[in-house]
Amino acid sequence: MRRNYRAARRGRSRAEFEAKLGTVFEEADECVDCFEAFRDMRIKTDAALIQEARELASIFAKSVSTARKNSRRSKDFPDSSSGT
């Protein structure tokens, strides 16, 4: 997850950033699913770890949403730096 977040920050375009950030969210969500599966199978579990994984997944989900919203908003306003 950390490696993909770093890759997202280094995206060459806005679309690449959003796609890679989406991958980060998917991996965080998959971690939540694995931790919950361990809990449900009565394999060693830690409630605090599950909660932290949920919080991270929530943060990344919101980050993806915000990035997409900002991209849509930037399309609505022309680039003022071009001098036109």
Side-chain angles (χ1 to χ4, degrees):
M1 182 171 46
R2 180 177 171 204
R3 184 181 68 204
N4 285 321
Y5 181 71
R6 181 181 173 109
R9 290 188 338 211
R10 294 174 183 256
R12 293 171 293 214
S13 68
R14 188 77 188 167
E16 184 178 2
F17 168 75
E18 289 176 24
K20 289 182 185 241
L21 194 58
T23 300
V24 174
F25 163 68
E26 289 173 10
E27 289 188 1
D29 190 54
E30 187 175 319
C31 286
V32 172
D33 187 51
C34 288
F35 290 144
E36 289 175 343
F38 292 157
R39 180 200 60 209
D40 295 346
M41 290 184 283
R42 299 184 193 273
I43 296 174
K44 185 172 176 138
T45 186
D46 182 343
L49 187 59
I50 294 172
Q51 183 59 32
E52 186 170 345
R54 285 179 182 154
E55 290 170 4
L56 285 169
S58 178
I59 288 167
F60 290 123
K62 183 64 176 173
S63 296
V64 169
S65 174
T66 299
R68 289 178 180 159
K69 183 174 93 176
N70 288 343
S71 288
R72 285 191 304 270
R73 186 173 28 180
S74 69
K75 290 177 185 176
D76 293 338
F77 296 103
D79 183 11
S80 61
S81 64
S82 66
T84 56

